[in-house]
Amino acid sequence: MIELGPNQYGKSQIRLVKVSRGSEQHALRDLTVAISLEGDFEAAHVVGDNANVVATDTMKNTTYALAKDGLTGSIEGFGQLLAAHFLEFPQVTRATASIREHGWSPIPTSAGPARDTFVRAGGLTRVTSVSATGDGGTVESGIDDLVVMKTTRSSFEGFPRDRFTTLPESSDRLMATKISATWGYAAGSAADATFDFDAAFGGVRDTLLDVFATHFSPSVQNSVWVIGRAILEAQPAIDWVRMVLPNLHHWLVDMQPFEMSNEREIYISTTEPHGLIEATVRRGSSG
Amino acid sequence: MIELGPNQYGKSQIRLVKVSRGSEQHALRDLTVAISLEGDFEAAHVVGDNANVVATDTMKNTTYALAKDGLTGSIEGFGQLLAAHFLEFPQVTRATASIREHGWSPIPTSAGPARDTFVRAGGLTRVTSVSATGDGGTVESGIDDLVVMKTTRSSFEGFPRDRFTTLPESSDRLMATKISATWGYAAGSAADATFDFDAAFGGVRDTLLDVFATHFSPSVQNSVWVIGRAILEAQPAIDWVRMVLPNLHHWLVDMQPFEMSNEREIYISTTEPHGLIEATVRRGSSG
Amino acid sequence: MIELGPNQYGKSQIRLVKVSRGSEQHALRDLTVAISLEGDFEAAHVVGDNANVVATDTMKNTTYALAKDGLTGSIEGFGQLLAAHFLEFPQVTRATASIREHGWSPIPTSAGPARDTFVRAGGLTRVTSVSATGDGGTVESGIDDLVVMKTTRSSFEGFPRDRFTTLPESSDRLMATKISATWGYAAGSAADATFDFDAAFGGVRDTLLDVFATHFSPSVQNSVWVIGRAILEAQPAIDWVRMVLPNLHHWLVDMQPFEMSNEREIYISTTEPHGLIEATVRRGSSG
Amino acid sequence: MIELGPNQYGKSQIRLVKVSRGSEQHALRDLTVAISLEGDFEAAHVVGDNANVVATDTMKNTTYALAKDGLTGSIEGFGQLLAAHFLEFPQVTRATASIREHGWSPIPTSAGPARDTFVRAGGLTRVTSVSATGDGGTVESGIDDLVVMKTTRSSFEGFPRDRFTTLPESSDRLMATKISATWGYAAGSAADATFDFDAAFGGVRDTLLDVFATHFSPSVQNSVWVIGRAILEAQPAIDWVRMVLPNLHHWLVDMQPFEMSNEREIYISTTEPHGLIEATVRRGSSG
């Protein structure tokens, strides 16, 4: 017998800009939103009956419409509003809103920050994925696109060698990565209407950067652990942190053929191939 | 207590070309390979001890070295060789090789197909992900980047309408998507050294294209079901098929302002926002 | 004194799909169009007077509207129609339509080619840029995204060596490139309403592939010359050919550390850095 | 007769990182460099004689080698060093070094800016293209990837209307663009070893942002003029400024179907199609 397994559907890449026109200062929000639903959609698949299929075009319209009054604070809060809205459809058992926020800053001018002109900020993207279900839901937030480099205090030594191993041990290498970190909020905090997601995000970001800068890294794996543990220690509302870190190798240029020395000064920056390290750090059940 | 959760690491984007120089005809293989390991890596994370950490550079070297004698048939077979190799490290409990094959064809010349000159084929990418564990393993293969369009015999009607619904019903719309399909081979077939992965791939591809072309689609969801069921019916060695299909909307241009008619002729092609439909079709436990 | 120099403006990335619903077989055209105008736009720049500024939104609308009856043959012909239309505005001295065509093929089914279902073809993109001016115009067409590789009969030897040269001479290397070729049609042919741009395109493509496959290449530079000359010899309506060819290096893997040989068999495929060779081959003034 | 026309060749995407390890603070430079040569390369093309063809691999090596002592100040200065080096080859008549600099900032930590750990800055890319020829050369510098938005004080009115015009007049629209600006330094300044390219770059960037923020824009064309003129007025060493500005349209969401108002608050952000405005502002010959 052939049957329908896990399935979901929705709308992706809903591009939304909201301008709040304060008399002194405009505020600019720029989001990319995706909506996804799970539920009773078997008839749509198996017999082509769309009676339960909320159109993805409607998801798009709803996102714009709810942004008018509902996008006033954190993306997590807006995600909760969207997820709760779609969970109201009786055929939906799980509604998920995934949001990426693109930062903008008022342009600095000779007369101070501009009140109505903005420059797109670089450096990182704040993201969240909020799910609503009949018995609650989850809020998972994160940081993407954060490219960082340590010019020293990174090593890679003591690894096993076999017939195919040519990498030399290194007690002082460059370490560059593009950080993707995701964390899960404890159910109680996520459900607490007074919880400050913006403050939590800022705290995680600051801890992450601070620990990345100050720790000595014997491996990317250890860095994930040290950073993840520090985040959990600083943020009681967070249950777990997952990091996915490419190791963007920088190779020292061999200048011997030019009769020149190269004391950890000139490097070839590469993107492929790259290492890829993924790990979750979490509060243990015995904790 | 804070503890290490699920973790894995490896090398991604290993770019490998192999040329087999037959006297009559060269053969060209072009792969992008990723290796990933799970196992006893807690010391690496928690205390910075790399004694168990096979260097990702070694994974890269090994991939090139094993390709010399081992890349002779399907990417699934090469993936099994790679996964088995890395499972031999005692600290490894799961080794995964993920491979994308980029197709090339001999250039057609006035004197027939060239024997040593090739053109990169477009149209689709064949992929596989092979895992080896102590008690066997899995082979999941797929098709990526297959962009297709139905110019008629696609509709979307009978969906629910609420305050935010503006999409009109359509009994004859364009349907365009970029197919990503993945399927899992039954354990017995995957472990059978005589199983013909190339033939199975060709069969799935042909069924997929044939059914996409010939069925009437009342929704993307139904198309996933109809195609997935046909694949399972044709391929006894396959346990499940998962498809992820963006709905790449094509909007009819409103030519009324120009005092022109537009009878399903001129469309605006869009990429964002887009629908996204995901579902698994599988053999049921009661089957 | 500060003045306005060269300027132009227009609309880019107009995505247009046209379906012609023949009773036996649908035809599908998929274009990306850009329109650009030069002319009397100084007041728009210098004093903010938009009286001469055809809105780029109007360019988009016009492209869709004219496609209804005007997109019936080659993209060059449609480009000429668009360019001529915009040249009719008295303030316009040069109108340019640039078009990229994305190929689609009927899906092959067990019952023959589908009549209304298509698969996006890979392999190359056909492009054109058509300009209209008061005294005529130009038609420049081309091929983009054509990725090809020679597995032998390519060398690079006899180049100068200095202190910074480490590249060994090679009498048998891989040569891979992504061909971008552009050619200019003679004014007489471009202005001839009976000229067959589709046949000319097919001829250039075939010559290009045939010569690439059959010649021995001592350098990318020489390949450009040999291919360009062959195109001009075969196509009297073409005045010049320009090619821009990245040299996508493939490096032989050093397997000596593994105590293995590698007789031009296993290569590392790279994209950066890459060589970049550009040259025009043309009919000489003395010709 | 068929002949060789304009031609050049070189190496692109040379990825270079330099770390200067000061005792108090590391400095990090991250460049993408391209080298391109023109000169006596006819024999390479026409007869396959490589005696004059400096290998592009040598260009790469040279870039790394000269960076060791030569990359100490502005990218313009390093570009001049590279271009002058390659002009020394007697067969070279023009050598061009094109450089993009990717910014990094010390990570802010609780103990102050990190001395050896950096975060990739977003927001803009600084670029230059330096050519050396027998009778001097040119230095053209620029800004790329600077995404900005005005939330008010932008309009588009008074444009001509024809049969295909549907765009309404707007006295208050969003204006978003990704600025690409290039400017040319006067020969005297470019040749002056004491000229401060970093200060000039900073001055242009500040003027550009300041004027973008403070002017009222009746069109993108007028913005190019107003910004370009301000740059030339502030920077006597600059002869001309060219800007290429996509108009990244933001469309007001029509909320009437939802019985909601939308007073310039909720917008759809789009990337295609987009307007594209290009113009040069320069010092006139009569100036």
Side-chain angles (χ1 to χ4, degrees):
Chain A
M1 202 194 78
I2 293 169
E3 66 180 21
L4 182 67
N7 62 88
Q8 64 184 84
Y9 82 103
K11 195 72 148 194
S12 292
Q13 294 295 118
I14 304 169
R15 295 283 295 111
L16 159 66
V17 161
K18 179 174 184 178
V19 180
S20 302
R21 300 174 182 278
S23 58
E24 290 304 308
Q25 178 66 46
H26 286 194
L28 176 56
R29 304 295 298 274
D30 182 357
L31 311 183
T32 300
V33 180
I35 304 294
S36 185
L37 305 183
E38 296 173 51
D40 178 11
F41 300 110
E42 181 149 2
H45 289 84
V46 175
V47 297
D49 175 353
N50 294 325
N52 274 0
V53 182
V54 180
T56 66
D57 192 76
T58 300
M59 298 178 194
K60 177 201 70 179
N61 287 348
T62 305
T63 300
Y64 286 120
L66 296 191
K68 189 174 190 308
D69 295 323
L71 175 56
T72 53
S74 70
I75 54 174
E76 286 83 0
F78 183 49
Q80 288 176 319
L81 182 74
L82 288 168
H85 173 89
F86 289 108
L87 188 64
E88 286 175 19
F89 287 93
Q91 68 271 39
V92 174
T93 55
R94 174 181 295 269
T96 302
S98 301
I99 306 179
R100 303 176 65 82
E101 177 150 23
H102 316 291
W104 294 83
S105 312
I107 284 185
T109 75
S110 47
R115 61 177 289 278
D116 57 15
T117 312
F118 298 83
V119 59
R120 175 91 170 251
L124 66 81
T125 303
R126 179 173 167 184
V127 302
T128 194
S129 178
V130 179
S131 284
T133 61
D135 56 356
T138 58
V139 177
E140 301 181 5
S141 296
I143 288 174
D144 263 2
D145 305 321
L146 176 61
V147 182
V148 290
M149 192 189 298
K150 294 176 76 72
T151 51
T152 187
R153 292 188 295 128
S154 165
S155 65
F156 188 57
E157 299 178 291
F159 52 89
R161 307 193 76 86
D162 69 3
R163 177 186 176 196
F164 300 122
T165 302
T166 57
L167 184 75
E169 306 243 319
S170 173
S171 61
D172 193 353
R173 64 171 184 174
L174 249 59
M175 175 175 153
T177 188
K178 184 177 186 173
I179 292 177
S180 175
T182 314
W183 53 89
Y185 288 101
S189 300
D192 174 359
T194 69
F195 185 76
D196 187 340
F197 288 107
D198 291 345
F201 174 84
V204 172
R205 181 197 56 210
D206 290 351
T207 298
L208 191 158
L209 287 171
D210 198 273
V211 177
F212 184 81
T214 54
H215 83 305
F216 180 97
S217 172
S219 69
V220 177
Q221 282 89 338
N222 182 252
S223 294
V224 172
W225 168 260
V226 171
I227 295 170
R229 189 181 53 185
I231 291 170
L232 292 182
E233 286 171 351
Q235 301 287 338
I238 293 179
D239 275 351
W240 53 265
V241 180
R242 180 161 188 81
M243 270 180 266
V244 179
L245 301 190
N247 192 345
L248 300 169
H249 308 296
H250 286 70
W251 305 116
L252 210 53
V253 177
D254 176 10
M255 293 202 180
Q256 282 195 320
F258 322 143
E259 296 181 358
M260 294 169 67
S261 64
N262 184 10
E263 293 294 333
R264 295 176 297 122
E265 192 174 3
I266 306 293
Y267 293 85
I268 302 165
S269 173
T270 70
T271 52
E272 64 179 33
H274 58 80
L276 187 63
I277 288 82
E278 311 175 48
T280 299
V281 182
R282 64 189 180 193
R283 299 191 194 282
S285 48
S286 54
Chain B
M1 201 194 79
I2 293 170
E3 66 181 20
L4 183 67
N7 63 89
Q8 64 184 83
Y9 82 103
K11 195 73 147 193
S12 291
Q13 295 293 117
I14 304 169
R15 294 284 295 111
L16 159 66
V17 161
K18 179 175 185 178
V19 180
S20 301
R21 301 174 181 277
S23 58
E24 290 304 308
Q25 178 66 47
H26 286 194
L28 177 56
R29 304 294 300 271
D30 181 357
L31 311 183
T32 299
V33 181
I35 304 294
S36 185
L37 305 182
E38 297 172 51
D40 178 12
F41 301 111
E42 180 149 3
H45 289 85
V46 175
V47 297
D49 175 353
N50 294 325
N52 274 1
V53 182
V54 179
T56 66
D57 192 77
T58 300
M59 298 179 194
K60 177 201 69 179
N61 287 348
T62 305
T63 299
Y64 287 118
L66 296 192
K68 189 174 189 308
D69 295 323
L71 175 56
T72 54
S74 70
I75 53 174
E76 286 83 0
F78 184 48
Q80 288 176 319
L81 183 75
L82 288 168
H85 173 90
F86 288 108
L87 188 64
E88 285 174 19
F89 287 93
Q91 68 271 38
V92 174
T93 55
R94 174 182 294 269
T96 302
S98 301
I99 306 179
R100 303 176 66 81
E101 177 149 25
H102 316 291
W104 294 82
S105 311
I107 284 184
T109 76
S110 47
R115 61 177 289 277
D116 57 13
T117 313
F118 298 83
V119 58
R120 175 90 170 252
L124 66 80
T125 304
R126 179 173 167 185
V127 302
T128 194
S129 179
V130 179
S131 284
T133 61
D135 56 357
T138 57
V139 178
E140 301 181 2
S141 295
I143 288 175
D144 263 2
D145 305 322
L146 177 61
V147 182
V148 291
M149 192 189 299
K150 293 176 79 69
T151 52
T152 186
R153 292 188 294 130
S154 165
S155 65
F156 189 56
E157 299 177 290
F159 51 90
R161 306 193 75 86
D162 69 3
R163 177 185 175 197
F164 299 122
T165 302
T166 56
L167 185 75
E169 307 246 317
S170 172
S171 62
D172 193 353
R173 63 171 185 176
L174 249 58
M175 175 174 152
T177 187
K178 184 178 188 174
I179 292 178
S180 175
T182 314
W183 53 88
Y185 288 101
S189 300
D192 174 358
T194 69
F195 185 76
D196 188 341
F197 288 107
D198 290 345
F201 174 84
V204 173
R205 181 198 55 210
D206 291 351
T207 297
L208 191 158
L209 287 172
D210 199 271
V211 177
F212 184 81
T214 55
H215 83 306
F216 180 96
S217 172
S219 68
V220 178
Q221 282 88 339
N222 182 252
S223 294
V224 173
W225 168 259
V226 171
I227 295 170
R229 190 181 52 184
I231 291 170
L232 292 182
E233 285 170 352
Q235 300 287 337
I238 293 180
D239 276 350
W240 55 264
V241 180
R242 180 163 188 79
M243 271 180 267
V244 179
L245 301 190
N247 192 346
L248 301 169
H249 308 298
H250 285 69
W251 305 115
L252 209 54
V253 176
D254 177 10
M255 293 202 181
Q256 282 196 318
F258 322 144
E259 295 181 359
M260 294 170 67
S261 64
N262 183 10
E263 292 295 331
R264 295 176 297 121
E265 191 173 3
I266 305 293
Y267 294 85
I268 302 165
S269 173
T270 70
T271 52
E272 63 180 34
H274 59 79
L276 188 63
I277 288 82
E278 312 176 47
T280 298
V281 182
R282 65 190 180 193
R283 300 190 195 283
S285 48
S286 54
Chain C
M1 202 195 79
I2 293 169
E3 66 181 22
L4 182 67
N7 62 88
Q8 65 185 82
Y9 82 104
K11 195 73 148 192
S12 291
Q13 295 293 117
I14 304 168
R15 296 282 296 111
L16 159 65
V17 161
K18 179 175 183 177
V19 180
S20 301
R21 301 174 180 277
S23 58
E24 290 305 306
Q25 177 66 47
H26 286 194
L28 177 56
R29 305 294 298 273
D30 181 357
L31 311 182
T32 300
V33 180
I35 304 293
S36 184
L37 306 181
E38 297 172 50
D40 179 11
F41 300 111
E42 180 148 3
H45 290 84
V46 175
V47 298
D49 174 352
N50 294 325
N52 274 359
V53 182
V54 179
T56 66
D57 192 76
T58 300
M59 299 179 194
K60 178 202 69 179
N61 287 348
T62 304
T63 299
Y64 287 118
L66 295 192
K68 189 174 189 308
D69 295 323
L71 175 56
T72 54
S74 71
I75 53 174
E76 287 83 0
F78 183 48
Q80 288 176 319
L81 182 75
L82 288 169
H85 173 89
F86 289 107
L87 189 64
E88 286 174 19
F89 287 93
Q91 68 273 36
V92 173
T93 55
R94 174 180 294 270
T96 301
S98 301
I99 306 179
R100 303 176 67 82
E101 177 150 23
H102 316 291
W104 294 82
S105 311
I107 284 185
T109 75
S110 47
R115 62 176 289 277
D116 56 14
T117 312
F118 298 83
V119 59
R120 175 92 171 250
L124 65 81
T125 305
R126 180 173 167 185
V127 302
T128 194
S129 178
V130 179
S131 285
T133 60
D135 57 356
T138 58
V139 178
E140 300 181 4
S141 295
I143 288 174
D144 262 2
D145 306 322
L146 177 61
V147 182
V148 290
M149 192 189 299
K150 293 175 79 69
T151 52
T152 185
R153 292 187 296 128
S154 165
S155 66
F156 188 56
E157 300 178 289
F159 52 88
R161 307 193 76 85
D162 69 3
R163 177 186 176 195
F164 300 122
T165 304
T166 55
L167 185 75
E169 305 244 319
S170 172
S171 62
D172 194 352
R173 64 170 183 175
L174 250 59
M175 176 175 151
T177 187
K178 184 178 187 173
I179 291 177
S180 174
T182 315
W183 52 89
Y185 288 101
S189 299
D192 175 358
T194 68
F195 185 76
D196 188 342
F197 287 108
D198 290 346
F201 175 84
V204 172
R205 181 198 55 210
D206 291 351
T207 298
L208 191 159
L209 288 171
D210 198 271
V211 177
F212 184 81
T214 55
H215 83 306
F216 181 97
S217 172
S219 67
V220 177
Q221 282 88 339
N222 183 252
S223 293
V224 173
W225 168 260
V226 171
I227 294 169
R229 190 180 54 185
I231 290 169
L232 292 182
E233 285 171 353
Q235 300 288 338
I238 293 178
D239 275 351
W240 54 264
V241 180
R242 181 162 188 80
M243 270 179 267
V244 178
L245 301 190
N247 191 346
L248 301 169
H249 308 297
H250 286 70
W251 304 115
L252 209 53
V253 176
D254 177 10
M255 294 202 180
Q256 283 196 317
F258 323 143
E259 295 180 0
M260 294 169 67
S261 65
N262 183 10
E263 292 295 331
R264 296 176 295 121
E265 192 173 2
I266 305 294
Y267 293 85
I268 303 165
S269 174
T270 69
T271 52
E272 63 179 34
H274 58 79
L276 188 62
I277 288 82
E278 311 176 48
T280 299
V281 182
R282 65 190 180 192
R283 300 191 195 282
S285 48
S286 55
Chain D
M1 202 195 80
I2 293 169
E3 66 180 22
L4 182 67
N7 62 88
Q8 65 184 82
Y9 81 104
K11 196 72 146 194
S12 291
Q13 294 293 119
I14 304 169
R15 295 283 296 112
L16 159 66
V17 161
K18 179 174 184 177
V19 179
S20 301
R21 302 175 180 277
S23 58
E24 290 304 308
Q25 177 66 46
H26 286 195
L28 176 56
R29 303 295 298 273
D30 181 356
L31 310 183
T32 299
V33 180
I35 304 293
S36 185
L37 305 183
E38 296 172 49
D40 179 11
F41 300 111
E42 180 149 3
H45 289 84
V46 175
V47 297
D49 175 353
N50 294 325
N52 274 359
V53 182
V54 179
T56 66
D57 192 75
T58 300
M59 298 178 194
K60 177 202 68 179
N61 287 348
T62 305
T63 299
Y64 287 118
L66 295 192
K68 188 175 190 306
D69 296 324
L71 174 56
T72 53
S74 70
I75 54 174
E76 287 83 0
F78 184 48
Q80 288 177 319
L81 182 75
L82 288 168
H85 173 89
F86 288 108
L87 188 63
E88 285 174 20
F89 287 93
Q91 68 272 37
V92 174
T93 56
R94 174 181 295 268
T96 301
S98 302
I99 306 178
R100 303 176 66 82
E101 177 149 24
H102 316 291
W104 294 82
S105 311
I107 284 185
T109 75
S110 48
R115 62 176 289 278
D116 56 14
T117 312
F118 299 83
V119 59
R120 176 92 170 253
L124 66 82
T125 304
R126 179 173 168 185
V127 302
T128 194
S129 178
V130 179
S131 284
T133 60
D135 55 357
T138 57
V139 177
E140 300 180 5
S141 296
I143 288 174
D144 264 2
D145 305 322
L146 177 62
V147 182
V148 290
M149 191 189 298
K150 294 176 78 70
T151 51
T152 186
R153 292 187 295 128
S154 166
S155 65
F156 188 56
E157 299 177 290
F159 51 90
R161 306 192 77 86
D162 69 4
R163 178 185 175 198
F164 300 121
T165 303
T166 56
L167 184 75
E169 306 244 318
S170 173
S171 61
D172 193 352
R173 64 172 185 175
L174 248 59
M175 175 175 152
T177 188
K178 185 178 185 174
I179 292 177
S180 174
T182 315
W183 54 88
Y185 288 101
S189 299
D192 175 358
T194 68
F195 184 76
D196 187 341
F197 287 106
D198 290 346
F201 175 84
V204 172
R205 181 198 56 210
D206 291 351
T207 297
L208 191 158
L209 287 172
D210 198 272
V211 176
F212 184 82
T214 55
H215 84 304
F216 180 96
S217 172
S219 69
V220 177
Q221 283 88 338
N222 182 252
S223 294
V224 172
W225 168 260
V226 170
I227 294 169
R229 189 180 54 185
I231 291 170
L232 292 182
E233 284 172 352
Q235 300 287 337
I238 293 179
D239 276 352
W240 54 265
V241 180
R242 181 162 188 81
M243 270 179 268
V244 179
L245 301 190
N247 192 347
L248 301 169
H249 308 296
H250 286 69
W251 305 116
L252 209 53
V253 176
D254 177 10
M255 294 202 180
Q256 282 196 318
F258 323 144
E259 295 181 358
M260 293 170 66
S261 64
N262 184 9
E263 293 294 332
R264 295 176 297 121
E265 192 172 2
I266 305 293
Y267 293 85
I268 302 164
S269 173
T270 70
T271 54
E272 63 180 34
H274 59 79
L276 188 62
I277 287 83
E278 311 176 47
T280 299
V281 182
R282 65 190 180 194
R283 298 191 195 281
S285 48
S286 54

